[in-house]
Short mmCIF file of all heavy atoms in Angstrom, two decimals:
data_model
loop_
_atom_site.label_atom_id
_atom_site.label_comp_id
_atom_site.label_asym_id
_atom_site.label_seq_id
_atom_site.Cartn_x
_atom_site.Cartn_y
_atom_site.Cartn_z
N GLU G 1 202.22 123.22 72.72
CA GLU G 1 203.17 124.14 72.08
C GLU G 1 203.85 125.04 73.08
O GLU G 1 203.20 125.69 73.89
CB GLU G 1 202.46 124.98 71.00
CG GLU G 1 203.38 125.53 69.95
CD GLU G 1 204.02 124.47 69.12
OE1 GLU G 1 203.34 123.89 68.26
OE2 GLU G 1 205.22 124.18 69.34
N GLY G 2 205.17 125.06 73.06
CA GLY G 2 205.93 126.02 73.84
C GLY G 2 206.13 125.63 75.30
O GLY G 2 206.77 126.37 76.05
N LEU G 3 205.56 124.50 75.72
CA LEU G 3 205.56 124.18 77.16
C LEU G 3 206.84 123.57 77.67
O LEU G 3 207.04 123.41 78.90
CB LEU G 3 204.40 123.24 77.47
CG LEU G 3 202.99 123.75 77.21
CD1 LEU G 3 201.95 122.66 77.59
CD2 LEU G 3 202.69 125.02 77.97
N PHE G 4 207.77 123.23 76.77
CA PHE G 4 208.96 122.44 77.14
C PHE G 4 210.21 123.31 76.98
O PHE G 4 210.43 123.92 75.93
CB PHE G 4 209.00 121.17 76.32
CG PHE G 4 207.74 120.40 76.47
CD1 PHE G 4 206.74 120.49 75.50
CD2 PHE G 4 207.51 119.59 77.55
CE1 PHE G 4 205.55 119.80 75.62
CE2 PHE G 4 206.33 118.86 77.70
CZ PHE G 4 205.34 118.98 76.72
N PHE G 5 211.04 123.33 78.00
CA PHE G 5 212.18 124.26 78.01
C PHE G 5 213.29 123.74 77.10
O PHE G 5 213.72 122.58 77.22
CB PHE G 5 212.73 124.40 79.42
CG PHE G 5 213.77 125.48 79.55
CD1 PHE G 5 213.43 126.78 79.46
CD2 PHE G 5 215.11 125.13 79.73
CE1 PHE G 5 214.37 127.80 79.55
CE2 PHE G 5 216.06 126.11 79.81
CZ PHE G 5 215.72 127.45 79.73
N PRO G 6 213.78 124.56 76.14
CA PRO G 6 214.82 124.13 75.29
C PRO G 6 216.18 124.08 76.03
O PRO G 6 216.61 125.10 76.59
CB PRO G 6 214.82 125.20 74.16
CG PRO G 6 214.24 126.41 74.81
CD PRO G 6 213.27 125.91 75.85
N ASP G 7 216.79 122.96 76.00
CA ASP G 7 218.09 122.80 76.72
C ASP G 7 218.68 121.42 76.26
O ASP G 7 218.06 120.68 75.52
CB ASP G 7 217.84 122.79 78.21
CG ASP G 7 219.10 123.18 79.03
OD1 ASP G 7 220.19 123.25 78.42
OD2 ASP G 7 218.95 123.36 80.23
N THR G 8 219.88 121.13 76.73
CA THR G 8 220.49 119.82 76.55
C THR G 8 220.11 118.95 77.74
O THR G 8 220.39 119.30 78.88
CB THR G 8 221.98 119.91 76.38
OG1 THR G 8 222.30 120.71 75.24
CG2 THR G 8 222.59 118.51 76.15
N TYR G 9 219.52 117.78 77.47
CA TYR G 9 219.08 116.87 78.49
C TYR G 9 219.86 115.55 78.42
O TYR G 9 220.21 115.12 77.35
CB TYR G 9 217.59 116.57 78.36
CG TYR G 9 216.70 117.82 78.64
CD1 TYR G 9 216.37 118.69 77.61
CD2 TYR G 9 216.27 118.08 79.91
CE1 TYR G 9 215.58 119.80 77.85
CE2 TYR G 9 215.47 119.17 80.17
CZ TYR G 9 215.14 120.04 79.15
OH TYR G 9 214.37 121.14 79.40
N PHE G 10 220.14 115.01 79.60
CA PHE G 10 220.77 113.71 79.72
C PHE G 10 219.87 112.81 80.49
O PHE G 10 219.34 113.17 81.53
CB PHE G 10 222.11 113.85 80.46
CG PHE G 10 223.13 114.71 79.73
CD1 PHE G 10 223.20 116.05 79.97
CD2 PHE G 10 224.00 114.17 78.79
CE1 PHE G 10 224.11 116.88 79.33
CE2 PHE G 10 224.89 114.97 78.11
CZ PHE G 10 224.95 116.31 78.36
N CYS G 11 219.66 111.59 79.94
CA CYS G 11 218.79 110.66 80.60
C CYS G 11 219.32 109.25 80.40
O CYS G 11 220.13 109.02 79.50
CB CYS G 11 217.37 110.76 80.08
SG CYS G 11 217.23 110.44 78.30
N ALA G 12 218.92 108.31 81.25
CA ALA G 12 219.34 106.94 81.09
C ALA G 12 218.87 106.36 79.78
O ALA G 12 217.73 106.63 79.34
CB ALA G 12 218.81 106.12 82.26
N VAL G 13 219.75 105.62 79.13
CA VAL G 13 219.38 104.92 77.90
C VAL G 13 218.17 104.06 78.18
O VAL G 13 218.08 103.41 79.21
CB VAL G 13 220.59 104.10 77.38
CG1 VAL G 13 220.15 103.18 76.23
CG2 VAL G 13 221.72 105.01 76.96
N ALA G 14 217.22 104.06 77.23
CA ALA G 14 215.99 103.27 77.32
C ALA G 14 214.98 103.87 78.30
O ALA G 14 213.95 103.27 78.59
CB ALA G 14 216.26 101.83 77.67
N SER G 15 215.21 105.07 78.75
CA SER G 15 214.21 105.76 79.58
C SER G 15 213.14 106.29 78.66
O SER G 15 213.28 106.50 77.47
CB SER G 15 214.81 106.84 80.44
OG SER G 15 215.43 107.84 79.61
N SER G 16 211.93 106.57 79.27
CA SER G 16 210.80 106.96 78.47
C SER G 16 210.90 108.37 77.95
O SER G 16 211.35 109.29 78.66
CB SER G 16 209.55 106.84 79.36
OG SER G 16 208.39 107.39 78.69
N ASP G 17 210.48 108.57 76.69
CA ASP G 17 210.45 109.91 76.12
C ASP G 17 209.43 110.78 76.91
O ASP G 17 209.60 111.99 76.98
CB ASP G 17 210.13 109.89 74.65
CG ASP G 17 208.84 109.16 74.30
OD1 ASP G 17 208.18 108.65 75.20
OD2 ASP G 17 208.53 109.07 73.10
N LEU G 18 208.41 110.17 77.50
CA LEU G 18 207.47 110.92 78.28
C LEU G 18 208.13 111.48 79.55
O LEU G 18 207.82 112.60 79.97
CB LEU G 18 206.26 110.04 78.66
CG LEU G 18 205.33 109.67 77.50
CD1 LEU G 18 204.25 108.70 78.00
CD2 LEU G 18 204.70 110.90 76.86
N ALA G 19 209.02 110.69 80.14
CA ALA G 19 209.75 111.18 81.32
C ALA G 19 210.61 112.36 80.97
O ALA G 19 210.74 113.32 81.78
CB ALA G 19 210.61 110.05 81.93
N LEU G 20 211.19 112.34 79.79
CA LEU G 20 212.05 113.46 79.36
C LEU G 20 211.19 114.69 79.12
O LEU G 20 211.59 115.83 79.49
CB LEU G 20 212.79 113.08 78.07
CG LEU G 20 213.83 114.04 77.57
CD1 LEU G 20 214.92 114.32 78.61
CD2 LEU G 20 214.48 113.54 76.27
N LEU G 21 210.01 114.52 78.52
CA LEU G 21 209.12 115.65 78.31
C LEU G 21 208.67 116.23 79.67
O LEU G 21 208.54 117.45 79.81
CB LEU G 21 207.89 115.22 77.49
CG LEU G 21 208.10 115.03 75.98
CD1 LEU G 21 206.85 114.45 75.34
CD2 LEU G 21 208.49 116.34 75.32
N LYS G 22 208.40 115.37 80.61
CA LYS G 22 207.98 115.83 81.94
C LYS G 22 209.08 116.68 82.59
O LYS G 22 208.81 117.70 83.18
CB LYS G 22 207.71 114.62 82.82
CG LYS G 22 207.13 114.97 84.19
CD LYS G 22 205.75 115.54 84.12
CE LYS G 22 205.13 115.73 85.50
NZ LYS G 22 203.75 116.27 85.44
N GLN G 23 210.32 116.23 82.39
CA GLN G 23 211.49 116.99 82.94
C GLN G 23 211.56 118.36 82.27
O GLN G 23 211.77 119.38 82.94
CB GLN G 23 212.75 116.22 82.72
CG GLN G 23 214.01 116.89 83.29
CD GLN G 23 215.27 116.11 82.98
OE1 GLN G 23 215.23 114.99 82.44
NE2 GLN G 23 216.40 116.64 83.35
N ALA G 24 211.40 118.40 80.95
CA ALA G 24 211.50 119.67 80.21
C ALA G 24 210.35 120.59 80.57
O ALA G 24 210.51 121.80 80.62
CB ALA G 24 211.51 119.39 78.71
N TYR G 25 209.17 120.02 80.80
CA TYR G 25 208.00 120.83 81.20
C TYR G 25 208.24 121.45 82.58
O TYR G 25 207.97 122.63 82.79
CB TYR G 25 206.74 119.97 81.23
CG TYR G 25 205.52 120.70 81.81
CD1 TYR G 25 204.89 121.66 81.10
CD2 TYR G 25 205.11 120.35 83.08
CE1 TYR G 25 203.76 122.31 81.64
CE2 TYR G 25 204.00 121.01 83.64
CZ TYR G 25 203.36 122.00 82.93
OH TYR G 25 202.27 122.67 83.46
N SER G 26 208.75 120.64 83.50
CA SER G 26 209.00 121.15 84.86
C SER G 26 210.03 122.27 84.85
O SER G 26 209.93 123.27 85.57
CB SER G 26 209.49 119.98 85.78
OG SER G 26 208.45 119.02 85.93
N ARG G 27 211.05 122.11 83.98
CA ARG G 27 212.09 123.12 83.91
C ARG G 27 211.51 124.42 83.35
O ARG G 27 211.86 125.52 83.79
CB ARG G 27 213.25 122.63 83.06
CG ARG G 27 214.50 123.53 83.12
CD ARG G 27 215.69 122.93 82.48
NE ARG G 27 216.06 121.70 83.16
CZ ARG G 27 217.17 120.96 82.84
NH1 ARG G 27 217.89 121.32 81.78
NH2 ARG G 27 217.48 119.87 83.49
N MET G 28 210.61 124.31 82.36
CA MET G 28 210.01 125.53 81.81
C MET G 28 209.16 126.20 82.85
O MET G 28 209.19 127.45 82.97
CB MET G 28 209.14 125.15 80.57
CG MET G 28 208.43 126.36 79.97
SD MET G 28 209.55 127.64 79.32
CE MET G 28 209.86 127.00 77.67
N GLN G 29 208.39 125.45 83.62
CA GLN G 29 207.55 126.04 84.65
C GLN G 29 208.43 126.74 85.71
O GLN G 29 208.06 127.85 86.20
CB GLN G 29 206.70 124.94 85.31
CG GLN G 29 205.65 124.37 84.42
CD GLN G 29 204.66 125.42 83.84
OE1 GLN G 29 203.97 126.08 84.59
NE2 GLN G 29 204.68 125.57 82.55
N SER G 30 209.54 126.15 86.04
CA SER G 30 210.44 126.74 87.04
C SER G 30 211.02 128.06 86.50
O SER G 30 211.10 129.06 87.21
CB SER G 30 211.55 125.78 87.38
OG SER G 30 212.49 126.32 88.26
N LYS G 31 211.48 128.04 85.26
CA LYS G 31 212.07 129.25 84.65
C LYS G 31 211.01 130.35 84.57
O LYS G 31 211.28 131.50 84.90
CB LYS G 31 212.64 128.96 83.25
CG LYS G 31 213.84 128.05 83.26
CD LYS G 31 215.08 128.79 83.73
CE LYS G 31 216.31 127.89 83.55
NZ LYS G 31 217.55 128.58 84.06
N LEU G 32 209.85 130.00 84.05
CA LEU G 32 208.80 131.01 83.90
C LEU G 32 208.39 131.63 85.26
O LEU G 32 208.25 132.84 85.38
CB LEU G 32 207.56 130.35 83.27
CG LEU G 32 207.55 130.15 81.75
CD1 LEU G 32 206.38 129.32 81.37
CD2 LEU G 32 207.60 131.49 81.02
N GLY G 33 208.26 130.74 86.26
CA GLY G 33 207.84 131.24 87.58
C GLY G 33 208.85 132.19 88.18
O GLY G 33 208.48 133.25 88.74
#
């Protein structure tokens, strides 16, 4: 809960939803830090 940064994301069609979550998590960690 709350670990993923809310934003508009662009990714390659057919890319993994896990990869998108990883990107959103990294962005949240960067913003928080």
Side-chain angles (χ1 to χ4, degrees):
E1 201 66 74
L3 298 181
F4 305 96
F5 188 72
D7 203 351
T8 299
Y9 293 88
F10 297 90
C11 59
V13 171
S15 59
S16 172
D17 55 0
L18 291 175
L20 188 59
L21 284 174
K22 185 68 172 180
Q23 181 183 355
Y25 172 75
S26 296
R27 191 170 296 182
M28 178 63 86
Q29 292 303 298
S30 177
K31 291 286 186 183
L32 281 171

